[in-house]
Amino acid sequence: MGDILGNRRLIEQARARAAEARADLVIYPELAIVGYPPEDLVLRPSVQEACEAAIRELAAQTADSGPAMLVGTPWRENGKLYNSVVLLDGGQVVGVRHKHELPNYGVFDEKRVFTPGPLPGPLPFRGVRLGVMICEDMWQPDVAECLAETGAEILLVTNGSPFEVNKWDQRLPLGVARVVETGLPLLYVNRIGGQDELVFDGGGFAINADHSLAARQPDFIEDIAFTEWYRGNDGWICEKGKIAEPLDRLASIYQAMVVGLRDYVNRNKFPGVVLGLSGGIDSALSAAVAVDALGPQRVRCVMLPSKYTSQRSLDDAAACANALGVPYETIPIEPAYQAFDGMLSEAFKGTKPDITEENLQSRIRGVILMALSNKFGHMVLTTGNKSEMSVGYATLYGDMCGGYSVLKDVYKMTVYELSHWRNVNRPLESLGPAGIVIPPSIIERAPSAELRENQTDQDSLPPYEQLDAILEMLVEKEMPVREIVAAGQPEDVVRRVQHLLYIAEYKRRQAPPGVKITPRGFGRDRRYPITNAFRDLPK
C-alpha cells in the first residue's frame, strides 16, 4: 500500500516476463499502482500526482512495441477522482475506464473517496473490443450488459476481491452469470497478499462463452498466467490452460492467516513476533501460523507462568515450542503479582479476591510481552479467538495487547479444526516444519485461562459448540433471538450471549487488527455502537 515505486517495479517485471512470451496484453489487479483498499490515503493530492506520474512512465515504456498493459490506478478527470484502469500501448495512455459500481458495504467504503464512473463502452485494442470491468462491476449485471450492447468481444475484470470463507463459490457463479447474460467470454484477475485485516487470495480465471472454465490461477500464490485466444465462428475463445484446484475450507482459512500475518509483519518491517505460549490451543495455533509465515527464528515464544499454571501447561508449551523449533523461554509472573498485590492491599482492604486479581495476572503478562517488544522490536502477536472476543472473554491491556491477531475472526471450534488440519498438512510456501506441530495433549484438554484454581472456560461460558452456533446466528446472520430459539437454542442462553456480545463492543474497539476470515468480521464488516441499549423483545 502506497509503495508506488515498488508497485511500478513489480508491474515492469511482469511485463518483462510477458514480453519474453510474446504476449499482447498484460492485465493487472484493481488499483495495482497504489494498493487496495487505499482508504483516505488516495485523497492526498501528492498520492494522486505520484500515481499519475508512475502511469505516464509505464506508458512510455510501451513504445517498444512490446506488450500493452491494463493497469488499475486512481485517475483524476475534470476535478473528480475515479477508481480506474488505463490501457497503455504505443508509448501512450490510449484508453481509460472508470469503475461504475462503487461498493459501500462490508469492508468497502469506496463512495467515500471515489466518484462513480458512467456505464462504459468497450476499449479498442489491436483489432479487439475489450469490455473492461472493475471488481464490483462484475457483481451487478448492468456494466456487462452495457458492454455487450455496445460491441465488446471479451470481458476483462480487474479485481481487489478480499478473501472470506467460500468466496470462490460466489465468484465463479457470478462470472458464469455475466457470461450467460452477454454470450461473451470473461477473464478475471485478482490481487494477492495481505493489507491490514484483508487478505487477497488471487485465484484468477477465464471462462469461455460456452460456460466452460478455461484457466484458473492458484490460491494465495503470486502467479503470472498466460492465456491464448483465437477468434472462432461465434467469437473469441480461450484455449484451455492450467486449472488450479481451489483450496478446501480449512486449507484456505489457514493460508489466509499465514499470508495476512506474513505481509503485515514484513511490510511494516518488524523483525519478527513475540507471543505468550500458554500451553493452550489458541497460542499454540497462533505460534504455528507465525512459524509458517515467518520461519522459526523470527518467532519468540515466552511462557509466563503464575502459581495457577499447571505442570501440564508447562510441559505442553515446551513440547509445542520444540516441535516448531522456536526460541523459547520462561519468565514467571509471580514476583510482579506479589508486588502489585502488596501495592494494592490497602486500597483493596475488606474485599474478597475476584476477577480483578485474575485480570491483574493477564495484564502483567501483557506488560512483559510489550517490554520484550520494545527492547527487541518484535511485534506482540495476540492469541484470542472470535468466540472469546464476541462475548468479552478477554482482558483489556492484558491478553488483548499487541499488534496483530491471526485468530481474531476464527471461532473456537474452527481453532480445533485448524489445529488438527495443520498436524497432517503443511501449508503452501510454509517456512515451518512438516508433521505434528501442535501436541495432541493441547488439542484434547479442556480450555482454561488458568487464572484461578481448577478454572475452565466453561465455568463462565456455554460449551463452545453451543456458543459458536449461537454466535454464528447472531453475528454472521443477524438473526433475531426468537428465530435462534426456534432453531433449538435455549432462550436464556441466547439472550445472555446477545447481552455479552453487545456490552463487549468497547473492548473490540480497542483490539488489534486481525485477518478477516468470515463474512462478518468485527471492525470493518460489523460496526455496532459502543453505547447500545437495544435488546430483542421477548416473543
Side-chain angles (χ1 to χ4, degrees):
M1 175 61 63
D3 184 9
I4 296 167
L5 178 59
N7 293 335
R8 194 194 84 191
R9 288 172 177 160
L10 290 173
I11 290 168
E12 292 168 345
Q13 290 169 13
R15 182 175 185 267
R17 283 190 56 188
E20 292 173 1
R22 304 178 65 83
D24 297 292
L25 176 65
V26 192
I27 306 169
Y28 299 90
E30 181 176 10
L31 293 180
I33 199 68
V34 67
Y36 187 85
E39 301 181 297
D40 286 7
L41 176 68
V42 80
L43 296 177
R44 291 186 64 83
S46 55
V47 171
Q48 298 168 18
E49 292 163 6
C51 289
E52 186 170 341
I55 290 297
R56 301 291 181 192
E57 292 165 358
L58 288 169
Q61 295 175 26
T62 63
D64 63 2
S65 301
M69 293 185 280
L70 194 67
V71 183
T73 183
W75 196 255
R76 296 178 296 184
E77 199 171 274
N78 299 322
K80 297 178 179 179
L81 184 67
Y82 297 95
N83 180 342
S84 305
V85 291
V86 291
L87 180 60
L88 313 179
D89 195 19
Q92 302 178 62
V93 178
V94 297
V96 182
R97 290 295 181 269
H98 308 310
K99 190 173 185 176
H100 176 70
E101 301 283 357
L102 298 181
N104 209 53
Y105 58 86
V107 302
F108 305 106
D109 204 7
E110 289 196 34
K111 290 182 179 179
R112 176 182 173 89
V113 293
F114 293 117
T115 299
L119 283 168
L123 273 173
F125 171 68
R126 302 185 186 180
V128 187
R129 295 186 299 277
L130 303 177
V132 178
M133 300 187 286
I134 305 174
C135 205
E136 188 75 10
D137 289 343
M138 189 189 79
W139 289 65
Q140 309 296 333
D142 293 353
V143 175
E145 289 176 3
C146 180
L147 288 167
E149 290 168 359
T150 52
E153 298 175 275
I154 302 173
L155 299 177
L156 305 179
V157 193
T158 68
N159 296 270
S161 178
F163 167 80
E164 62 187 47
V165 176
N166 300 325
K167 194 68 171 283
W168 169 246
D169 294 336
Q170 299 177 55
R171 292 179 188 140
L172 181 61
L174 281 167
V176 171
R178 301 295 88 88
V179 171
V180 170
E181 293 159 1
T182 62
L184 300 176
L186 179 146
L187 191 147
Y188 176 106
V189 178
N190 194 25
R191 301 187 64 80
I192 189 85
Q195 171 57 37
D196 294 348
E197 295 187 286
L198 302 183
V199 177
F200 300 93
D201 52 331
F205 57 90
I207 306 172
N208 274 315
D210 64 1
H211 318 157
S212 64
L213 187 65
R216 188 182 188 277
Q217 292 177 284
D219 297 325
F220 297 104
I221 296 177
E222 292 187 7
D223 178 69
I224 298 176
F226 295 93
T227 58
E228 295 188 23
W229 298 74
Y230 66 93
R231 196 191 298 268
N233 294 331
D234 297 319
W236 286 92
I237 299 171
C238 180
E239 291 274 17
K240 191 162 186 178
K242 294 181 180 179
I243 299 179
E245 287 293 321
L247 296 180
D248 64 29
R249 171 177 163 269
L250 291 178
S252 65
I253 293 173
Y254 197 97
Q255 205 67 42
M257 295 193 299
V258 169
V259 171
L261 179 63
R262 178 198 69 198
D263 287 353
Y264 190 85
V265 170
N266 290 342
R267 292 174 180 179
N268 286 293
K269 298 180 170 40
F270 289 105
V273 298
V274 58
L275 71 151
L277 196 62
S278 68
I281 194 168
D282 293 328
S283 64
L285 180 60
S286 297
V289 172
V291 169
D292 287 327
L294 305 170
Q297 294 308 310
R298 297 180 67 192
V299 179
R300 184 175 185 175
C301 291
V302 187
M303 164 53 91
L304 300 161
S306 74
K307 64 180 181 180
Y308 301 115
T309 302
S310 66
Q311 186 61 47
R312 179 174 178 179
S313 293
L314 294 169
D315 294 343
D316 284 346
C320 183
N322 183 63
L324 290 167
V326 296
Y328 176 72
E329 62 202 290
T330 299
I331 303 176
I333 69 167
E334 193 61 24
Y337 180 77
Q338 292 299 327
F340 275 107
D341 190 47
M343 291 163 57
L344 293 166
S345 60
E346 185 64 26
F348 288 177
K349 184 187 297 183
T351 66
K352 294 181 179 179
D354 56 18
I355 195 173
T356 306
E357 285 74 14
E358 295 180 21
N359 286 344
L360 187 56
Q361 297 169 64
S362 179
R363 290 180 175 129
I364 290 168
R365 291 183 171 113
V367 168
I368 293 171
L369 291 173
M370 286 305 302
L372 293 171
S373 174
N374 291 159
K375 182 64 69 174
F376 301 105
H378 292 68
M379 182 193 77
V380 176
L381 185 66
T382 58
T383 61
N385 60 68
K386 188 171 186 175
S387 304
E388 295 168 351
M389 289 305 303
S390 295
V391 294
Y393 198 75
T395 305
L396 273 174
Y397 326 121
D399 57 327
M400 286 177 63
C401 82
Y404 203 74
S405 172
V406 294
L407 302 184
K408 181 179 181 178
D409 201 25
V410 179
Y411 288 111
K412 185 73 170 190
M413 297 309 298
T414 307
V415 169
Y416 283 101
E417 291 182 276
L418 290 168
S419 298
H420 284 293
W421 181 90
R422 178 57 182 91
N423 276 347
V424 295
N425 296 276
R426 191 164 181 253
L428 302 170
E429 300 182 328
S430 169
L431 299 178
I436 294 175
V437 296
I438 301 175
S441 58
I442 290 179
I443 300 174
E444 294 162 4
R445 70 184 299 191
S448 171
E450 291 193 317
L451 298 175
R452 62 176 184 268
E453 289 288 355
N454 302 315
Q455 182 185 29
T456 67
D457 290 3
Q458 255 55 94
D459 295 340
S460 50
L461 294 175
Y464 278 116
E465 297 91 334
Q466 182 181 38
L467 178 62
D468 285 1
I470 294 171
L471 289 172
E472 173 87 16
M473 291 183 273
L474 283 172
V475 177
E476 311 300 330
K477 299 178 181 178
E478 292 284 6
M479 289 171 59
V481 168
R482 65 179 182 276
E483 293 183 12
I484 301 175
V485 173
Q489 296 295 342
E491 182 171 348
D492 60 331
V493 177
V494 176
R495 291 195 179 280
R496 177 169 170 254
V497 171
Q498 185 192 54
H499 179 69
L500 293 173
L501 174 67
Y502 284 176
I503 65 172
E505 186 64 36
Y506 80 101
K507 287 188 177 183
R508 291 189 290 270
R509 291 286 184 94
Q510 299 179 67
V515 183
K516 171 181 164 59
I517 299 294
T518 70
R520 295 275 286 171
F522 292 125
R524 298 181 68 102
D525 281 313
R526 186 183 183 277
R527 309 177 194 183
Y528 266 59
I530 295 174
T531 306
N532 173 20
F534 179 82
R535 300 294 184 272
D536 284 14
L537 295 173
K539 59 184 178 181

